[in-house]
Amino acid sequence: MDANLELYRVFREVARHSSFSAAARELYVSQSAVSQAIGNLEKSLHTTLFVRGAKGVKLTGDGKLLYDYTESALSMLEKGEEMLEERAKLLAGEVKIAAADTISKHFLLPYLQKFNGGHPSIRIQVVNRTSMQSIALLKSGAVDFAFVNLPIKEEGIATVKCMDVHDIFVGGRKYKHLSPYPMAPSELIKYPLIMLEGISNSRKYVDRYFMEYGILLEPEIELGSHDLLLEFAKIGLGISCVVKEFSKEYLEREEVFQIPLETPIERRSMGLSFLKNVPMSAAAEAFYKTVVSGE
């Protein structure tokens, strides 16, 4: 296509008004500029688009054909420009997030509530995945952010730490008698253990702790939900490894009791990951600021 987009804008206005002078007023240009633009377009397309008459101009057959396509194409472009402007002003747009259900419930929810309150027109999409699955979605471009258990070392991924957490062991009333006395890892594994599935970063972190003592964990029960870890411990099925910060209500209500280790598991972190060197949309940037800066 040799003709530039502005020539088609001029063509549309002339066709709408059946007048060069009216089109010129609409476009805030001179009538001669409109005439020159139409002449250049006709030359480029090797056809005549208008028939000039005493009462103005009328579209030729080729002109009518071109006008239908021009009107549709320019309307789509203008709609796209409007949508981009709305996104820039945070009047539209979306933020896509991947996060494990535990992080979603115990960390992410307050930020989602705050962001939605300040930007109700922005659509929020959250998918529940493990940390590594969330990172895979991020790298594929399917989501803007991944909330993950750290550490994460992936090329092209930047991560901001959001909070520290502590892995602890808890039991229900059946195991309350163990709570006053710190226990060696070799003693703890004599009891039925309830752990997260081995694919989770959280579980791998705890596995590494026990490997330092030469212990390969073989839990009686493996689950995919942190809440179920607490519920299973509560009814006495075994001793669960949970996140202390996400178990406060159970501990405060004495539904479960912490069973301390002689050497506590070192704290770990949770963070917000995003693609390096990829500009964020206005909506994504606003969400990032809500989480990281508290804005």
Side-chain angles (χ1 to χ4, degrees):
M1 184 177 69
D2 296 329
N4 64 46
L5 186 61
E6 195 56 38
L7 296 184
Y8 286 97
R9 295 187 189 277
V10 174
F11 166 72
R12 180 177 65 172
E13 293 306 319
V14 174
R16 282 178 172 178
H17 297 283
S18 300
S19 168
F20 279 43
S21 58
R25 288 193 297 272
E26 184 71 23
L27 296 168
Y28 298 98
V29 297
S30 66
Q31 184 172 334
S32 62
V34 171
S35 298
Q36 183 177 0
I38 296 302
N40 290 339
L41 184 59
E42 289 178 327
K43 183 178 179 181
S44 173
L45 299 176
H46 307 289
T47 190
T48 299
L49 299 173
F50 294 101
V51 176
R52 282 73 170 173
K55 295 183 179 180
V57 295
K58 292 184 179 181
L59 288 166
T60 63
D62 285 350
K64 290 178 181 178
L65 175 65
L66 183 63
Y67 176 75
D68 290 339
Y69 284 100
T70 299
E71 179 64 33
S72 177
L74 291 179
S75 294
M76 290 291 289
L77 285 172
E78 288 166 357
K79 181 63 177 177
E81 290 173 350
E82 289 175 8
M83 291 181 68
L84 289 176
E85 185 177 358
E86 288 179 355
R87 284 173 176 260
K89 294 179 179 179
L90 298 179
L91 300 175
E94 63 181 357
V95 178
K96 297 180 179 180
I97 302 162
D101 57 355
T102 304
I103 297 177
S104 296
K105 177 180 179 180
H106 296 284
F107 175 78
L108 187 54
L109 274 180
Y111 293 104
L112 293 176
Q113 183 179 18
K114 181 177 180 181
F115 182 76
N116 182 250
H119 309 288
S121 299
I122 303 298
R123 181 171 176 262
I124 300 171
Q125 181 179 341
V126 180
V127 293
N128 288 136
R129 298 289 188 276
T130 65
S131 291
M132 295 314 300
Q133 290 170 339
S134 295
I135 289 295
L137 288 175
L138 179 63
K139 292 176 73 173
S140 72
V143 296
D144 300 298
F145 300 107
F147 283 89
V148 295
N149 291 298
L150 302 181
I152 292 290
K153 295 181 180 179
E154 291 281 339
E155 187 175 351
I157 302 294
T159 301
V160 176
K161 186 176 79 170
C162 294
M163 71 176 297
D164 290 325
V165 295
H166 299 80
D167 296 290
I168 62 170
F169 286 87
V170 299
R173 293 190 178 277
K174 179 179 179 179
Y175 297 99
K176 182 180 178 181
H177 65 284
L178 300 175
S179 61
Y181 311 106
M183 187 180 298
S186 58
E187 290 297 314
L188 180 69
I189 62 170
K190 295 178 180 179
Y191 296 90
L193 296 182
I194 307 170
M195 309 282 294
L196 284 175
E197 295 171 325
I199 62 172
S200 71
N201 267 21
S202 302
R203 167 66 184 279
K204 291 176 182 177
Y205 187 84
V206 176
D207 282 350
R208 286 194 291 269
Y209 168 85
F210 279 88
M211 285 299 295
E212 292 177 1
Y213 294 89
I215 298 171
L216 177 63
L217 286 179
E218 296 181 352
E220 274 69 17
I221 301 174
E222 292 185 316
L223 301 169
S225 164
H226 184 269
D227 288 351
L228 284 179
L229 292 173
L230 290 164
E231 289 295 325
F232 277 41
K234 176 182 171 181
I235 64 175
L237 293 181
I239 295 174
S240 290
C241 182
V242 299
V243 175
K244 183 176 183 178
E245 287 75 10
F246 300 159
S247 308
K248 288 181 179 179
E249 292 183 4
Y250 281 79
L251 290 165
E252 289 171 356
R253 293 195 299 258
E254 295 190 342
E255 294 175 329
V256 297
F257 302 86
Q258 182 174 349
I259 299 170
L261 292 168
E262 289 179 345
T263 303
I265 301 172
E266 288 189 11
R267 68 184 181 184
R268 57 186 175 87
S269 302
M270 295 182 176
L272 172 63
S273 295
F274 51 94
L275 294 175
K276 286 182 181 177
N277 305 318
V278 176
M280 294 183 187
S281 67
E285 185 174 357
F287 180 77
Y288 175 84
K289 290 179 179 178
T290 297
V291 176
V292 175
S293 306
E295 296 181 7

